[in-house]
Amino acid sequence: MPATMPAYRTRAERFDDLVLDAVERLERRWARQLDGTEFAVEDVPPSNPAPWERGGVPLGRYFPADAGLPARIVVYRRPVEARAHDPLDLADLVRDVVVEQVAHMLGRSPEDVDPGYDAGD
């Protein structure tokens, strides 16, 4: 669709929508625990990995609340897109990344956070 058309969405905007869909799905079950948590999309992770990250490029990251700042979960668009085979796979991968980061934040397994989570994907 041409960029001049109202329905035109960039790839980044469509990715943002996938993240919002995943967050909304989790908020139905975990609203109280997610209250105040910020969710964001960045194109790429910073070049300095977190101390616990070993090998590979992270697809997302959880930043605990600190010094008056709320907890924050970031999904990195380009690494996620690079791993997806098609649009359906991209939606599944985005959901999995969001679930994994929320699970990390809540101290639970991804399967507890979202029973539809499949670690084998």
Side-chain angles (χ1 to χ4, degrees):
M1 187 163 294
T4 57
M5 300 298 293
Y8 175 79
R9 306 279 294 154
T10 66
R11 188 170 70 200
E13 289 169 331
R14 289 189 305 268
F15 189 91
D16 291 349
D17 289 343
L18 292 173
V19 172
L20 286 174
D21 290 346
V23 171
E24 287 172 359
R25 177 183 166 144
L26 292 176
E27 283 181 333
R28 287 193 287 269
R29 184 171 181 195
W30 301 98
R32 188 173 55 79
Q33 293 88 339
L34 295 177
D35 188 40
T37 303
E38 290 183 355
F39 290 85
V41 173
E42 293 181 10
D43 281 339
V44 295
S47 58
N48 57 335
W52 60 88
E53 293 173 337
R54 304 246 187 275
V57 176
L59 303 181
R61 218 180 247 167
Y62 160 62
F63 297 91
D66 185 39
L69 298 173
R72 188 169 195 241
I73 291 175
V74 178
V75 179
Y76 298 114
R77 182 175 66 85
R78 290 186 184 238
V80 172
E81 287 177 335
R83 285 173 178 77
H85 301 292
D86 56 45
L88 184 56
D89 188 41
L90 179 62
D92 288 343
L93 187 53
V94 166
R95 187 189 75 234
D96 287 351
V97 171
V98 172
V99 168
E100 289 165 1
Q101 297 308 312
V102 168
H104 180 63
M105 181 180 86
L106 299 178
R108 295 178 170 266
S109 74
E111 295 83 4
D112 286 344
V113 171
D114 181 355
Y117 174 82
D118 183 9
D121 284 344

